Amino acid sequence: MQLALEQAQLASQKGEVPVGAVIIASKSGKVIAATHNLTESANDATAHAEMLAIREACRSLKSPRLAGCDLYVTLEPCAMCAQAIAHARIRRLYFGAYDSKGGGVEHGARIFHQGTCHHKPEVIGGMEESASAALLKEFFVARR
C-alpha cells in the first residue's frame, strides 16, 4: 500500500486527483504495475489508477486475466473500476479510503454483490485509510 500512496502523491503533484494503484503477483510479491490517475492529463475519463494498472499488468503478463494478482488502491474503486477488477479476475482487492459518493464496492452500486458480477475478489478496505484520505483532503482543500 505504501507504493500506492507514493503513486497517489505523484498524481497530486501533476494536478490529478491523488489516487494510486499497484498490482502485485500474489505468490512472488513482484510489482507488476504501479500507476496513478491520469484523467486530466490524458483527457480520458477512464484513465483511473485502477484501469491503468489493470491494462499495464495485462500487457506485462500477456493475459486478459490477473487471477494470481492482488490490487492495492488508495481509494475505494468506482463502479467502472470494480467491473474491470471483476473481469480481470483480480484475486484480492485492498483499498484505503472509503468513498461514500463515488465508490462502487462498499457504496453505491456494490458491484461485487450483484448477481451479474462474474467474479468477486476478496476485499479488504480501510488499509492506510487515514493517509489515503488525508492526501485527498489536502488536494481538494488546495483547489478551493
Side-chain angles (χ1 to χ4, degrees):
M1 185 56 93
Q2 197 57 44
L3 185 53
L5 285 165
E6 291 170 17
Q7 286 292 317
Q9 188 65 37
L10 288 173
S12 183
Q13 292 167 4
K14 294 178 180 179
E16 298 281 353
V17 174
V19 177
V22 176
I23 294 180
I24 295 178
S26 56
K27 286 185 181 177
S28 69
K30 178 184 175 202
V31 174
I32 300 169
T35 62
H36 55 75
N37 275 2
L38 289 175
T39 55
E40 298 300 324
S41 56
N43 293 312
D44 181 355
T46 69
H48 291 195
E50 304 94 308
M51 300 292 284
L52 297 172
I54 290 168
R55 289 175 190 150
E56 186 177 317
C58 287
R59 275 193 302 271
S60 176
L61 296 176
K62 296 178 178 38
S63 173
R65 307 232 177 8
L66 303 171
C69 298
D70 297 337
L71 170 63
Y72 293 78
V73 62
T74 58
L75 181 64
E76 176 183 348
C78 69
M80 172 184 69
C81 293
Q83 280 286 16
I85 290 164
H87 283 280
R89 309 293 197 272
I90 298 281
R91 182 183 80 109
R92 188 175 290 143
L93 165 66
Y94 298 90
F95 69 85
Y98 289 84
D99 187 353
S100 60
K101 283 185 181 180
V105 176
E106 300 291 335
H107 296 89
R110 297 181 54 148
I111 295 299
F112 304 138
H113 293 88
Q114 302 305 313
T116 56
C117 185
H118 296 287
H119 167 77
K120 180 183 178 181
E122 183 179 348
V123 176
I124 295 104
M127 201 173 170
E128 293 288 346
E129 182 177 8
S130 296
S132 297
L135 275 174
L136 289 158
K137 184 176 181 179
E138 291 167 14
F139 177 81
F140 287 112
V141 164
R143 274 150 183 71
R144 291 187 181 128

